[in-house]
Amino acid sequence: MSKKKSKKKKNITTKKKKKNIKPLIATMAVIVGIAAVIAVSYVVYMNTSLAGAGFADKSYVSVSAYDASGDEADLHSVYNVRYDDYKGSMKLNSDGTFELWMTPGAKDDGEHSGKYTYDRDKQVLNAKFDGGAKMKMKIIRNDDGSLKRIEIPYNGYTVYMTEKIN
């Protein structure tokens, strides 16, 4: 007798698998979160960076000064010096450091150098001298966005500085 193998037909039914969308939602949430962090970082960078600001890595000299009432003042009086050709000077570096010479002095006295940040929205340089003093310098731009001058408060005066042309 021969044994016959019974052949059973497998019942093949097509069942639709339910797709689990939780991993997809989680992945999308992570992608959106990363995009938000990148966008916020970019906005903060552009508002504080010196890139494209138009004033870094340049030297400046004082061209005029005005007292509290808006009257022009003699630079010799402002600086309290007798040198006929003395002008204040400033160097702004793209690494956020600066040197500002409104009066003669020693380079390492903490009164002439420090670090600054740029507030693009307010058009202000926030300077902190090595000696701890702080100062806000106002950026004034032309209608085309180019730098017109930098206004610096000094001993009750506002000193206007423009780019030094060699």
Side-chain angles (χ1 to χ4, degrees):
M1 271 188 148
S2 71
K3 284 188 177 181
K4 287 188 176 180
K5 291 184 181 176
S6 67
K7 292 184 180 180
K8 291 185 181 177
K9 289 186 177 181
K10 291 183 181 178
N11 188 6
I12 301 174
T13 59
T14 56
K15 292 182 181 179
K16 290 186 179 179
K17 291 184 179 180
K18 290 184 180 179
K19 292 184 179 178
N20 190 353
I21 63 170
K22 287 181 182 179
L24 180 62
I25 291 172
T27 302
M28 292 303 291
V30 168
I31 291 170
V32 168
I34 290 170
V37 167
I38 290 170
V40 168
S41 298
Y42 177 76
V43 168
V44 168
Y45 170 76
M46 288 309 293
N47 281 340
T48 59
S49 86
L50 307 175
F55 55 77
D57 289 329
K58 295 181 181 176
S59 295
Y60 302 87
V61 293
S62 56
V63 291
S64 59
Y66 296 85
D67 62 20
S69 64
D71 295 328
E72 189 166 5
D74 179 52
L75 285 172
H76 296 106
S77 300
V78 172
Y79 295 135
N80 196 22
V81 294
R82 294 183 191 171
Y83 310 116
D84 288 337
D85 59 348
Y86 184 81
K87 290 186 179 246
S89 64
M90 180 170 59
K91 170 79 171 146
L92 297 173
N93 302 307
S94 60
D95 66 357
T97 60
F98 71 92
E99 285 187 25
L100 176 62
W101 295 89
M102 298 297 240
T103 59
K107 188 171 184 159
D108 61 351
D109 63 8
E111 302 293 322
H112 299 285
S113 60
K115 294 185 178 185
Y116 71 98
T117 58
Y118 174 46
D119 185 331
R120 188 178 300 271
D121 292 334
K122 294 180 181 176
Q123 290 297 301
V124 170
L125 300 176
N126 296 299
K128 183 176 181 186
F129 290 85
D130 293 334
K134 294 180 181 179
M135 172 190 294
K136 291 186 181 287
M137 298 181 261
K138 189 173 181 181
I139 302 292
I140 306 298
R141 297 196 179 271
N142 293 308
D143 291 338
D144 65 359
S146 62
L147 181 70
K148 183 174 186 176
R149 68 178 175 265
I150 300 174
E151 296 180 358
I152 301 173
Y154 180 73
N155 286 345
Y157 297 95
T158 300
V159 176
Y160 289 9
M161 290 198 156
T162 60
E163 185 176 352
K164 181 180 180 181
I165 307 298
N166 292 333

